[in-house]
Amino acid sequence: MDQPFLVPAGSRVSLADYDPDYTGSYVDKAAAKAELKRSSEKLQDLQEVMWAEGKHSLLIVLQAMDAGGKDGTIKHVMRGVNPQGCQVTSFKVPTREELDHDFLWRIHKAVPRRGYIGIFNRSHYEDVLVVRVENLAPEQVWQQRYEQINHFEKLLADTGTTILKFYLHISKEEQKDRFEARLRDPHKNWKFSMEDVEKRELWDSYMRAFEDALSRCSAPWAPWYVIPANHKWYRNLVISQIIVDTLTSLDMRYPPPLPNADQIAIP
Ligand code: AMP
Ligand code: MG
C-alpha cells in the first residue's frame, strides 16, 4: 500500500491539504470491508508472534476531535486481537495526583510492556492540544512540551517500543452529523456532552494546534499519520494496513523449537 498519509519528519502540515473524504481506489464499503477482514487476520497472526517472542511492543496513539472515531477505531481495528496481549488506556482530564507530577508521568506508566499492543485513546498530545487551546497552562510550559515529547518517544523507541500515531481527520460538517446522530439515538446520547459543543466552537484553534503537533512531533521512530476519517470503513482499513505493514517489518519470530520436542514423552 502506498502511504500518502505519513507526515514526513520535519515537514509542515496544513490540514486543509488533506481531504477527510478521501477513500483512495475504494468507492464503497463492501470491498473495503472484505479487505479489512483479510488485514485483521494478518494482525491476529502478527500479534500472536509478538506475544510469543516477547521482544517488541507496539504503541498506537489515537487523537482526533470529538466524534472523530477513536472509540470506533479501537472497536473495529482491534476486533479479533487476543485481549490478553492488548491494553487500551483512555486518558481523561488529569487527576490531582497526575497534575502534581510531570505531564508524562501517567503516560509512561501506561506504555505497553514487551509482547503487548498498547492503545492510547487520547494521550500526552492532549497536553499540547486541549491544554494549549483552552489555556490550561502558560504558553511557556506547553511550548517546551513538543521537544519533551520527542525525547520521550525516542526513549521508548530505543528500548523496544514501536510507535504509530494516528490523527483521525474528520470535517467540521461530519462532526455536526455525528453529534446530531448521538442526540437522535437514545443509545448514543451518553456519548454526547455539552463540552463537545464548546470545543467545536474552537475548531480552528484546534486545527492549528493539531498542525503544530503533527509538524513538530513526527519522527521516523514515531511517525504521525493523517487518516481520512469521514468514512469509517476507509479509516479502519487504512489504520489496520499500516499496523500490519509495520508489524510485518519487525520480522518477528516464534522462539526456536525445543531441540528434542518430538522425542519428549508425556507420561
Ligand atoms: P472523552 O475522551 O470523551 O472521555 O473525554 C476526555 C476528556 O479529557 C476530553 O475532553 C479531553 O480533552 C480531556 N483531557 C484528556 N487529557 C487531558 C489533559 N492532559 N489535560 C486536560 N484535559 C484532558
Ligand atoms: Mg467525549
Side-chain angles (χ1 to χ4, degrees):
M1 186 188 62
D2 68 330
Q3 290 180 357
F5 315 116
L6 174 73
V7 176
S11 69
R12 183 74 222 160
V13 173
S14 165
L15 285 171
D17 297 342
Y18 289 84
D19 177 9
D21 272 314
Y22 185 78
T23 57
S25 57
Y26 293 87
V27 285
D28 65 18
K29 223 175 180 158
K33 276 206 152 169
E35 198 63 36
L36 176 62
K37 192 162 176 287
R38 276 192 287 278
S39 187
S40 297
E41 282 159 11
K42 287 187 201 160
L43 177 55
Q44 288 163 37
D45 292 344
L46 285 160
Q47 188 214 7
E48 194 148 315
V49 195
M50 189 169 165
W51 175 258
E53 192 190 47
K55 277 191 188 160
H56 297 272
S57 56
L58 174 67
L59 172 61
I60 298 168
V61 171
L62 297 174
Q63 287 288 166
M65 291 297 283
D66 293 303
K70 300 185 296 297
D71 296 325
T73 299
I74 296 169
K75 183 168 160 180
H76 296 287
V77 174
M78 292 297 138
R79 181 169 285 159
V81 163
N82 184 350
Q84 185 157 234
C86 187
Q87 155 200 328
V88 181
T89 312
S90 299
F91 291 96
K92 308 287 183 184
V93 176
T95 62
R96 186 70 250 167
E97 188 187 21
E98 287 166 349
L99 286 172
D100 282 341
H101 290 84
D102 71 87
F103 77 106
L104 293 170
W105 180 73
R106 65 175 184 160
I107 308 294
H108 208 158
K109 284 198 296 185
V111 166
R113 59 196 287 180
R114 291 181 217 290
Y116 281 72
I117 296 178
I119 301 161
F120 283 0
N121 183 343
R122 303 187 190 271
S123 66
H124 42 304
Y125 284 93
E126 292 291 322
D127 293 283
V128 291
L129 293 165
V130 65
V131 168
R132 163 176 164 164
V133 174
E134 321 247 352
N135 288 310
L136 304 179
E139 172 161 6
Q140 172 211 344
V141 170
W142 57 254
Q143 275 291 359
Q144 290 181 306
R145 289 182 173 165
Y146 299 96
E147 199 191 339
Q148 290 162 345
I149 287 172
N150 288 337
H151 285 302
F152 170 65
E153 292 179 352
K154 182 75 166 62
L155 166 75
L156 299 184
D158 285 347
T159 49
T161 305
T162 298
I163 306 172
L164 292 172
K165 301 180 292 192
F166 299 111
Y167 166 62
L168 313 181
H169 186 40
I170 57 164
S171 61
K172 199 173 176 189
E173 193 51 39
E174 177 68 18
Q175 189 196 47
K176 181 172 192 274
D177 292 348
R178 292 186 188 183
F179 281 169
E180 285 171 354
R182 287 177 178 188
L183 287 170
R184 271 196 310 273
D185 180 349
H187 289 180
K188 286 187 178 169
N189 281 178
W190 63 274
K191 283 194 170 199
F192 182 81
S193 102
M194 282 312 288
E195 279 167 30
D196 297 351
V197 181
E198 287 162 24
K199 281 195 182 169
R200 177 175 168 80
E201 283 166 16
L202 297 166
W203 182 276
D204 291 341
S205 303
Y206 272 103
M207 291 304 111
R208 297 295 88 74
F210 271 113
E211 286 173 341
D212 268 0
L214 296 165
S215 306
R216 294 170 75 173
C217 300
S218 195
W221 56 87
W224 266 114
Y225 294 85
V226 178
I227 306 297
N230 273 4
H231 300 282
K232 296 169 184 173
W233 47 269
Y234 188 66
R235 169 202 78 199
N236 292 340
L237 177 61
V238 171
I239 293 178
S240 179
Q241 289 182 333
I242 293 172
I243 296 171
V244 165
D245 288 351
T246 304
L247 288 180
T248 303
S249 73
L250 293 179
D251 197 25
M252 298 177 291
R253 299 292 156 99
Y254 281 100
L258 288 174
N260 299 313
D262 54 346
Q263 282 153 42
I264 299 175
I266 308 296

